[in-house]
Amino acid sequence: MNSDIPFSSHRDNRFYQGLTATFVANALQAVNFLGDRFLRKPHHVSSAIEDLYRHSMDSAFSVTESFLVTGAPHASAYYPRDFAWFYPDVLDPATIMDAQDAVRRARLLEKSVRLLLEAVRANVVTTTIVPAGRGLYLGVNYFSRPSDTLLGILAGLQQMISADQRASSYLAMSQCAHAGRLLLAEYGVDLKRAILQLAGELEPFDHDGARYLLCDVNAPRSAATDTRAERRRFVTNACVYTTFAWGVQLGVVDENELKRLLGRELSQYKQELLRLFGKDGYVRHSLDGPTGSPTSSIALDFVSVHRGFWDLSEASERALFAVTTDLVIAEPRFRIPGTSHFLVSADNPRNKMIHKIAAPAYQGRSSWPTFNVEFADRMLDFDEFSGSDTYRAYAQGILKDIQTSTEVHGGYQELLSEQGLKYRTWAYKGAVAHSWFPRFLSVWSRAFGTPLLHWND
């Protein structure tokens, strides 16, 4: 493959949303799931993690792909949030196998981010974009309006722009960084409009004599575990704060403009969120619903995203994170027995009818390996900022168990069941998250000080 990246040129893509678009998108997604259920053929790959990784990268970044996808049954739809939650290390040189792999990744990342930016320009900011024909895309929300779509788009841009800041011999990294800067210049005004619109949608929430700003006071907003269908969630609001912070860092929006809309400094806005959701000494995942035991009020997605909400440079923030982390570690209901695989929550949240039929426990009594990787990474952040070695052994245990499950199940899983088995429901024949694999390798290197896998380019 030529070392020059064949970056995509602008096409006349069209984006639609509304009742008709939602109906058509739902029908297309149903076909996608049924096709996966009845047509997916198992891939017989060596159980050696090196072979599994190479197969995963060949699948995730195939030259035939038009967009970066997970490998799960719903992969034919596009999820902007994934660039923040699941794809932050696509361009980590230590996870790239060779120059050809680097070119494929950079090409696909640029195509993906450009398409999402075109959707923003068309004012289609949704949780999901479903292709409906050549150059035709439908924006639809599953199951509520997004809180982290813009965050994902900014994360994709950040990754592109910073690609040449890591030591690498791959020409593709500098080319991708240049392409990212061009995208930022081309679509910066559209991103700014969308971010300011998000800021204007925040609603006042009065509690204990103080007034806060939340994105989901009266209705749920989508985040990584969006189908929990809860209002006033920590993770959705943490995503909104991070969107504002990243928008300022990238120069998309001026902090003073946000201050005028929010009526407060960004730093104050964050401290208020910590005070509201951490008023009991730990991070409560939602203010919606009755107060239960501490562990019943925590969800693992509190770890937020890579370089996201948690700064951990202040002692008070570290203390809140540590108490929440210790509650999760100490509660047996948070673990797959005999492992360091942590489940999304200790108690199953409310389920809508579709989850009872197609995906029971998807947001509760199941393990998302990628959340476990982020949990391990936040633990390492804590140790770094506190100058301690409090959580390194826990982080290493998490990563070793993910390595084991990857080898046992023949690939990096999107989900594991409460019993540690492949997550299988009628609708999910199997969900192997090929493109989430690099993030695991990046955090492994950080936790152990040495790469899990080595390549010679």
Side-chain angles (χ1 to χ4, degrees), residues 215-279:
C215 69
D216 53 354
V217 172
N218 295 308
R221 294 289 291 251
S222 167
T225 48
D226 60 331
T227 50
R228 296 179 69 96
E230 293 159 315
R231 301 174 302 156
R232 304 167 190 172
R233 289 179 60 205
F234 172 76
V235 66
T236 55
N237 289 282
C239 283
V240 170
Y241 164 80
T242 308
T243 299
F244 297 155
W246 286 2
V248 171
Q249 290 171 16
L250 279 173
V252 174
V253 63
D254 189 90
E255 188 168 358
N256 287 326
E257 293 180 278
L258 288 172
K259 179 181 177 181
R260 285 194 295 269
L261 280 171
L262 301 178
R264 63 208 71 193
E265 301 279 357
L266 267 183
S267 57
Q268 180 185 346
Y269 170 53
K270 175 182 175 177
Q271 289 305 314
E272 289 174 350
L273 292 178
L274 286 171
R275 185 162 62 247
L276 178 63
F277 288 95
K279 61 186 178 64

Side-chain angles (χ1 to χ4, degrees), residues 49-61 90 92-105 170 438 441 453-457:
I49 198 161
E50 295 90 343
D51 295 332
L52 292 170
Y53 185 75
R54 186 170 293 278
H55 169 73
S56 292
M57 295 304 95
D58 289 343
S59 298
F61 305 106
V90 167
D92 179 358
T95 74
I96 295 174
M97 300 181 295
D98 50 39
Q100 183 182 40
D101 187 27
V103 170
R104 291 185 311 180
R105 294 192 194 195
Y170 301 122
L441 292 191
L453 302 176
H454 298 267
W455 299 275
N456 294 315
D457 186 8

Side-chain angles (χ1 to χ4, degrees), residues 101-113:
D101 187 27
V103 170
R104 291 185 311 180
R105 294 192 194 195
R107 176 194 64 85
L108 206 52
L109 182 61
E110 190 274 344
K111 290 176 66 175
S112 304
V113 173

